[in-house]
Amino acid sequence: MRLRQAGPIPLDVSLECAPDELLALVGPSGSGKTSVLRAIAGLLAVPDGHITLNGEPWFDAQRGIHMPAERRPVGMVFQQYALFPHLSAADNVRLAVPRAHGPATAREIAHKLLRDMRLEGLAARRPQDLSGGERQRVALARALAREPRVLLLDEAFSAVDQPTRHALYDELARLRERLSLPIIMVTHDVREARQLADRMSILERGRTLQDGTPEAVMSRPRNARVAALVGLRDIHTGVFLKDQPACLRWGDQPGAIQLRTIDKGRLEHGTPVRWVIPGEHVQLHVAPPRHPAEWPAACATGHAGQGAGDALAAVNVVRCMLARLSRLGEITTLVCQVATEPPAVLHLDVTTRQAAELQLAAGQTAWLELDPRGIHIMPVRSGGQAAAPAGAANGAARQ
């Protein structure tokens, strides 16, 4: 699929979704996510591009093809349910069944879909007599009643509370076990996309910035903007040093921390970069750690966070002060102020239980061990924008 238009909402998007795949469209408000769904459903006409499902063209601007919305086998679930308030749950679903089945069969299909959604016994209730989660399951049953060949979810879980949302996640997982069809969901919630999607596509201002598995996008963002959009809070500057071993100078001062990293053969010595490291590659210590056997000595200037006469034996160990602890349920976020140059901050999430067991407190000294394999480096273009290393671009915006 390829969609292009100049306005009113600019679009320059390339997407692909396999029959048994869930693709999440992630991006800020106004990035064109819902417009993409509306174009697939035939509710939005764009001047340029194409949409094809299993070789069947639904839209092709060059060939003058535009299949009307009522002929497209699309199931769509909206954020605010969009149920008819004067109809029962069963009738809301029944009306979506293709007319070719006849009234009696349509009623049977509606009741079966409600049973599949674990709504048996609620078929006669109207939407106002159902909970938010029940209404959304009715909306999902109605979408499936159309016998869709693609399912579109437009912020489908954002209008319900957290426990209900997780119940709907389970419902979606059960649905995917029964049906093999492409599912495209729009969400602002990166955690939701990471939990549910096989692939995620990052959109901004109508453009595809990066496409790939959640793990690849989160750990290897194409540039600093993608890193920010997927919620990586700490985006640092540095200089890549093609030494033996390869190092990353944290910041632009000659005496700053040097971190071991992996040389992928794409950068020249002295290249200005931005870099990130996901939290799963950071290990917290309350005492200086020892050297892991598989890593040789660190960079020539000494170990991270230590002077030459005070070097630790481990690799990429950064001494810091716990400036603040923010507890939110089972997760505690640590704000770690680096003790030496540069004056940087690292955020790290730990379990609240772990924080209690380690007796972590504001003002305490700690050590962060940064796995060289988890450091992701993004070269900086002129103007300060981080560019993709050669061959590491989109992951990509596949057609």
Side-chain angles (χ1 to χ4, degrees):
M1 177 181 71
R2 184 67 186 262
L3 300 173
R4 291 193 188 98
Q5 69 175 15
I9 297 177
L11 287 178
D12 187 1
V13 176
S14 295
L15 297 174
E16 181 182 85
C17 189
D20 58 350
E21 189 173 54
L22 194 155
L23 171 67
L25 307 184
V26 181
S29 298
S31 60
K33 304 184 301 297
T34 296
S35 295
V36 170
L37 296 195
R38 286 171 53 81
I40 295 171
L43 303 175
L44 174 68
V46 298
D48 189 21
H50 60 85
I51 300 172
T52 303
L53 182 69
N54 294 332
E56 178 185 3
W58 286 8
F59 164 65
D60 192 314
Q62 290 188 348
R63 296 162 60 188
I65 297 173
H66 192 289
M67 184 184 293
E70 60 271 18
R71 289 183 50 205
R72 299 189 188 190
V74 171
M76 193 160 182
V77 182
F78 300 91
Q79 178 180 355
Q80 295 297 338
Y81 323 120
L83 299 174
F84 294 111
H86 63 291
L87 296 180
S88 67
D91 285 340
N92 266 281
V93 177
R94 178 183 57 81
L95 285 179
V97 178
R99 291 183 180 181
H101 287 292
T105 303
R107 283 193 295 271
E108 292 176 5
I109 292 173
H111 282 276
K112 179 183 184 302
L113 286 169
L114 290 174
R115 286 195 301 271
D116 289 344
M117 290 293 144
R118 298 183 299 151
L119 292 169
E120 193 171 9
L122 302 179
R125 293 191 184 182
R126 293 184 177 181
Q128 63 265 29
D129 300 320
L130 300 172
S131 69
E134 290 166 346
R135 277 177 277 178
Q136 197 60 297
R137 293 209 295 275
V138 172
L140 187 54
R142 181 185 59 185
L144 296 176
R146 296 199 66 195
E147 300 175 353
R149 292 165 61 193
V150 59
L151 181 62
L152 308 178
L153 308 177
D154 189 7
E155 296 280 359
F157 309 122
S158 62
V160 296
D161 57 51
Q162 198 69 20
T164 302
R165 184 179 301 187
H166 284 285
L168 289 170
Y169 292 167
D170 293 339
E171 206 68 62
L172 181 60
R174 281 190 287 269
L175 173 65
R176 296 189 66 193
E177 291 174 357
R178 300 198 311 268
L179 301 176
S180 178
L181 76 168
I183 302 174
I184 303 177
M185 67 178 293
V186 159
T187 180
H188 288 87
D189 190 336
V190 175
R191 291 172 298 179
E192 181 174 85
R194 194 172 188 181
Q195 180 175 345
L196 299 178
D198 302 300
R199 283 192 306 112
M200 56 195 293
S201 185
I202 309 301
L203 304 184
E204 186 180 40
R205 298 178 182 177
R207 297 181 65 87
T208 305
L209 300 187
Q210 187 169 352
D211 183 300
T213 66
E215 292 74 18
V217 175
M218 295 292 292
S219 62
R220 298 185 297 279
R222 181 182 183 184
N223 53 42
R225 183 55 184 158
V226 173
L229 289 174
V230 299
L232 294 175
R233 291 169 289 191
D234 304 320
I235 303 172
H236 307 284
T237 60
V239 177
F240 178 76
L241 304 177
K242 203 175 182 69
D243 295 327
Q244 295 296 329
C247 289
L248 172 67
R249 188 170 70 211
W250 190 347
D252 54 8
Q253 299 301 315
I257 293 172
Q258 290 189 16
L259 303 172
R260 279 288 308 278
T261 188
I262 305 298
D263 185 359
K264 298 179 181 179
R266 298 171 179 164
L267 300 178
E268 298 298 326
H269 180 81
T271 301
V273 298
R274 289 184 179 176
W275 62 276
V276 295
I277 182 166
E280 56 263 36
H281 296 288
V282 180
Q283 177 66 45
L284 173 72
H285 300 275
V286 294
R290 304 310 300 167
H291 183 282
E294 68 269 23
W295 287 106
C299 300
T301 56
H303 296 268
Q306 309 297 323
D310 186 28
L312 292 173
V315 174
N316 290 356
V317 175
V318 179
R319 189 175 69 243
C320 65
M321 185 264 290
L322 301 184
R324 187 170 70 253
L325 285 74
S326 300
R327 293 181 175 86
L328 181 61
E330 61 186 20
I331 297 297
T332 293
T333 297
L334 311 178
V335 181
C336 308
Q337 178 69 54
V338 176
T340 57
E341 289 293 331
V345 169
L346 286 168
H347 292 79
L348 180 66
D349 290 337
V350 299
T351 65
T352 298
R353 177 178 179 178
Q354 181 184 10
E357 289 176 346
L358 295 176
Q359 299 181 339
L360 301 180
Q364 178 180 347
T365 297
W367 289 261
L368 301 180
E369 187 173 357
L370 282 58
D371 188 339
R373 293 161 292 198
I375 295 175
H376 176 64
I377 296 175
M378 302 168 287
V380 178
R381 293 193 189 104
S382 59
Q385 291 296 317
N394 251 357
R398 298 180 291 176
Q399 298 195 34

